[in-house]
Amino acid sequence: MARETPLGRIRNIGIMAHIDAGKTTVSERILFYSGKTHKIGEVHDGAAIMDWMDQEQERGITITSAATTTNWREHQITLIDTPGHVDFTAEVERSLRVLDGAVALFCAVGGVQPQSEQVWRQSEKYSVPKIAFVNKMDRTGADFFSVVESIQNILGANAVPVVVPIGSEENFKGVVDLITMKAIVYDEADMGATFHEEDIPADLVEECNTWRANLVEKCAEQDDDLLEKFLEAGDLSEPEIRGIIRKATMDRRVIPAYCGSAFKNKGVQRLLDGIVDFLPSPLDIPPIIHAHDDGETVLETTDDAIFSAMAFKIMADKHMGKLVFMRIYSGSVESGTVVYNSSQKRTQRIGRIIRMHAKRQQALEAAGCGDIVAVVGLSQTRTGDTICMKDNPVILESIEFPAPVMSISIKPATRQDNDKMGEALHALSEEDPTFVVGFDDETSETIISGMGELHLEVLVERLKREFGVVGDVGRPEVAYRETATVALEGQYKHAKQSGGRGQYGHVHLRLEPQEPGVGFSFENKVKGGNIPSEYITAVEKGVIKGMTTGPFAGYPVVDMKVTVFDGSSHDVDSSEFAFTEAARVCFRNIFMQASPELLEPIMLVEVSAPEEYMGAVTGSICQRRGRIESMRELPGVRVVEGRVPLSEMFGYSNAIRTVTQGRGNFTMHFEHYEAVPFSIAEEIIQKRRDANKIK
C-alpha cells in the first residue's frame, strides 16, 4: 500500500489525567493548531468536537474516548481523548493498551490528584512513555514547579522541566524553552494563537540558567559519552539534548515537563513539538513476538509483514451499525478483505475502513502498520480480540478489565420494550467490558453491573436516548463477596440408587483461605487413582459451582485454595455428574464450618473543599464507617483522603454538596475487599434472605 506518512512520522498518543484537568480542552487546541478545526470548541459551551455525545456536552465530562487523526510538522498524530472519571476506567485501560505514548495532564493548582495516580499506574502497567503538561497556569494558585515536585514525590517519576513559565496566574504570558533558551511570548490580541520568540526576560535569566543546567545534567546522566562531554564543556548542543531526551523518554527514565494554559491557547504548540520530538513512533516500539507450537513469529513493524491488529473499542453508530476501532501492529489490510478473529475463531469481512476525526469520517481504501482506524463489518468482534489472516493466525495479549462493583435491577417501563431493552443492553455491554448484564433466576430480574453510580446512571440515560428504551431502575446493590477464614478438611459421598444405574462420587477436599485478591486455585493431590483422572475436572467444576453462589449469604466465594486429596469411585455408577455434585456439596458443607465471613468493596475517597468545611467533611466520612487516611493542603482548598465501604457511599454527591454549600467535590475508586463487621453482616444476610422469600 502507498503510504501518506512514513512510519517514523506517526505518533499514536493519548491524553490521560484526573477529571477536570482540561484534557478535552487540550485536545480541542491540538486540533485547532494543527488545522483540523477552524474554530475552537469549548467544553463549557457544550461545543467541544471531541465530546460529541449529548451527555458529554451536558455533563462537561468525557465518557467515550474519541480517536482523531491530525498533523503537525509533517507528522501524523492520532490522538485518543480518554475520560478522567474513575467510573470509565475501562476506556482509559483500553486506550493505554494500544497507544505508543501519552501526555499526562496535571492541573497547575490541583497537581497530582488521586485519579492522576490511578491512570499513571495503568500507563506504567503497559510501559507507556509519557510527557507531562501542567495546564491551567492562568488560574489563581498555579505553581508549575510544585506540580513537577509532586510528580517526582507522589508518582516516583523523574520529571524534568523543559520550559520555565513567564509569570503565572493572570500574568502568565508564555514560556522559556530551555532547549533553545528563547522566550516564547503568546500574543494576547488573538488569544495566543500566534506567538513570537524574544530574549529571556532579565529577571528570569538566573532561574532559567539553573533549570537549563538541571535539564542538561539529567540528560547527560543517561549517556556515558555525553556525561563526559558535559563534564568537560559544561554544556551540550541542541541536537544532542533533543536526541538524549527522546531516548530517555522512550526508556521511561525521564518525563519532560511542559506547562501552559490550553484555555488561553498558551503553550499547546510547544506541547505538540514535544509529542513529535520525544514520544515514540510505532517503529520505536519493540516488535511483538507471537509464540506458537512451531516456535516464534516476529511481527515486524512494516506494511509487508503478517497482518495483526487489536480491536480495542466497539461503538454503535446509528448510520453504519457496529464500528470496531483497531490498532494495526503489523502488516496492512484493504477494505473488502476477509480477516480472521483468532480470539473467537471466526472469519469475517471488513466492509469499510474509516479514519475518524471525532464525529467526522474519512473513508480509506487501506490501512497500514501503526494506524488506528475504525472498521465496519466485524459484527462478532469484541474488545480485546485479535484480528489477523486465517493462513497466518496470531494472538495478541488481550486487555484486562476490573470486575464491576455495583449492580442495579432494571426492567422496561412497558412490556413492548422487553426485546428492545435486551438488544440495547447487549449493544452497550459489547461496547463497555466493565458493564455486565445478568439475570437473577431467584427474582426473575435483569441485573446490570458497573463501576459505580455515575457509570450506571450514564448507561441508563444512554438506553433512553440512543435506543429509546425507558428502564425502571431498582436500588443499587453492592457486589459483596464471601470467603472462609480458617483451613479445614472434609469429605462427602454422593451415592444414589434408584433402580438401574445409580450415581456414585466420593471426594475429600481441603479448603484454605488465600491472601485477599489472589483469587481461586485448585490442586489435585489424589494418589493411586482413587478418583480416576477423567473425573478431576468434574470435581473442579463442582467446587466452582459451589463458589458461584456462596452458602453463607449467596454471594460469590473468593480467595480460596481448594485441594482434592482423596476419594473413591464405582466402576458402574460413577459419572462426571456424580463427582460434580459430590464436590459441590462437600465444598459447601466445609465452607460453612470454616468461619465464613462477608466481604465488601472498600473505596478510596478523596474530598476537596475549602478549609472552613473540613469539620463537616471529615464528619461525613466518619458517619459512613470511613477511615480518614490523610489530609493535605492545596491553594484555596483542603483535601481529605479516606477509605469508605461502597455500601455507605450511595447519595454521597448530594450530601457533600449540602455540607459544603456546593463548594466541595469528591472522587472515589475501588481499592480492595474487606470483611464486613459482624453485626452489619448479619443484617445484610437477613435482608437478602427476606427479599428472596418475598419474591
Side-chain angles (χ1 to χ4, degrees), residues 311-502:
F312 69 95
K313 181 171 172 55
I314 313 289
M315 256 166 72
D317 184 279
K318 276 182 194 154
H319 310 292
M320 290 185 291
K322 184 168 166 178
L323 277 181
V324 175
F325 282 80
M326 67 181 191
R327 156 76 196 256
I328 301 176
Y329 282 98
S330 60
S332 57
V333 70
E334 293 178 357
S335 59
T337 307
V338 173
V339 292
Y340 183 60
N341 180 330
S342 57
S343 311
Q344 307 225 14
K345 303 196 171 21
R346 288 172 187 269
T347 303
Q348 289 174 302
R349 184 176 165 277
I350 289 181
R352 294 171 63 193
I353 302 175
I354 299 153
R355 178 160 287 147
M356 301 297 285
H357 172 68
K359 208 179 176 182
R360 297 199 291 283
Q361 297 140 357
Q362 170 198 353
L364 300 176
E365 287 301 308
C369 185
D371 280 341
I372 288 182
V373 290
V375 296
V376 179
L378 304 183
S379 58
Q380 303 292 329
T381 298
R382 296 186 74 95
T383 301
D385 286 358
T386 300
I387 310 296
C388 55
M389 294 298 176
K390 191 154 192 183
D391 48 0
N392 276 311
V394 296
I395 286 208
L396 303 173
E397 187 186 337
S398 191
I399 311 172
E400 283 178 22
F401 294 107
V405 292
M406 187 183 281
S407 306
I408 53 176
S409 63
I410 186 166
K411 59 173 189 271
T414 63
R415 193 163 283 178
Q416 296 91 301
D417 278 354
N418 221 342
D419 292 345
K420 213 167 153 192
M421 177 180 269
E423 284 164 25
L425 289 174
H426 176 68
L428 288 173
S429 70
E430 276 204 323
E431 276 186 35
D432 182 349
T434 57
F435 173 58
V436 177
V437 181
F439 188 76
D440 187 329
D441 293 323
E442 288 182 353
T443 61
S444 301
E445 287 176 327
T446 300
I447 306 292
I448 57 174
S449 309
M451 298 309 296
E453 262 183 305
L454 178 67
H455 188 201
L456 293 172
E457 209 178 287
V458 166
L459 286 158
V460 170
E461 188 71 15
R462 282 185 67 192
L463 272 179
K464 188 164 108 189
R465 293 192 183 193
E466 290 170 40
F467 300 93
V469 177
V470 178
D472 289 340
V473 172
R475 187 183 137 66
E477 290 289 333
V478 175
Y480 290 105
R481 298 284 180 263
E482 48 191 81
T483 193
T485 54
V486 298
L488 206 62
E489 291 179 0
Q491 59 157 319
Y492 180 76
K493 190 182 285 182
H494 177 75
K496 291 238 165 81
Q497 203 64 48
S498 54
R501 188 173 166 180

Side-chain angles (χ1 to χ4, degrees), residues 100-177:
D100 299 331
V103 174
L105 201 61
F106 300 93
C107 168
V109 182
V112 177
Q113 293 164 288
Q115 192 57 26
S116 359
E117 285 187 63
Q118 171 121 338
V119 291
W120 191 276
R121 282 200 299 270
Q122 284 175 297
S123 74
E124 284 295 297
K125 181 165 112 184
Y126 291 114
S127 308
V128 177
K130 293 171 280 293
I131 58 180
F133 184 68
V134 177
N135 191 25
K136 304 195 178 184
M137 284 299 296
D138 55 319
R139 276 187 50 192
T140 308
D143 187 340
F144 173 56
F145 294 110
S146 93
V147 177
V148 169
E149 203 176 302
S150 64
I151 295 171
Q152 292 165 343
N153 297 339
I154 298 173
L155 302 175
N158 188 11
V160 180
V162 284
V163 295
V164 165
I166 303 171
S168 71
E169 302 181 354
E170 70 270 20
N171 300 319
F172 176 64
K173 292 186 181 64
V175 295
V176 173
D177 186 324

Side-chain angles (χ1 to χ4, degrees), residues 29 61 87 122 136 241 252 259 283 325 379 413 435 491:
R29 297 308 184 264
I61 58 173
D87 281 15
Q122 284 175 297
K136 304 195 178 184
I241 292 175
R252 298 183 15 261
C259 69
L283 285 175
F325 282 80
S379 58
F435 173 58
Q491 59 157 319

